[in-house]
Amino acid sequence: MERLSRLTPATIDVLKMLVAAEGPVWGLQIVKTTGRPSGSVYPILDRLESSGWVSSAWEDDTSRRGPRRRYYQLQQEARELAAAAVTTLENKQKTMRSSRVRPAGLAEA
């Protein structure tokens, strides 16, 4: 498993979804849940899979109509690292929000 070089907010959203999932997650479900465009989510999933963080498999159900679904699952070895990355970014965002400079003339309550 390789270290991730880019942990963008979109990557964190995808990791958050995968950490919360109890099993494989359909790619379009990740797109819908994260609210990120498929043009961002699928390259992230590809990068995570190439790095060994995620595995994927095509569905075997031939009775379902429509295109085959590809399911993604966070590797067990990556679960702790992914959860830590999500927590780190969330804490960083909280710190940034709380330390924003207030406009002059506004008193604190």
Side-chain angles (χ1 to χ4, degrees):
M1 189 172 73
E2 296 176 23
R3 185 169 182 246
L4 295 180
S5 60
R6 291 182 0 198
L7 281 175
T8 64
T11 302
I12 294 297
D13 287 347
V14 170
L15 287 173
K16 188 185 303 185
M17 169 80 183
L18 291 168
V19 167
E22 294 183 16
V25 183
W26 176 36
L28 191 55
Q29 184 180 5
I30 297 170
V31 170
K32 290 178 180 179
T33 302
T34 62
R36 300 284 180 172
S38 61
S40 294
V41 171
Y42 287 108
I44 289 168
L45 289 168
D46 185 51
R47 192 169 60 249
L48 290 171
E49 188 169 17
S50 296
S51 298
W53 285 55
V54 168
S55 61
S56 69
W58 289 101
E59 76 175 338
D60 294 331
D61 184 5
T62 56
S63 64
R64 192 183 65 76
R65 297 171 82 176
R68 286 192 315 163
R69 294 176 175 175
R70 190 166 185 175
Y71 290 90
Y72 297 87
Q73 187 167 12
L74 195 59
Q75 294 287 351
Q76 192 60 40
E77 313 84 60
R79 186 164 292 282
E80 190 174 313
L81 293 171
V86 168
T87 301
T88 299
L89 184 69
E90 287 175 345
N91 289 340
K92 186 176 180 180
Q93 289 173 337
K94 285 178 190 175
T95 301
M96 289 174 57
R97 279 192 299 262
S98 66
S99 66
R100 286 191 181 133
V101 177
R102 297 177 189 262
L106 290 180
E108 288 188 27

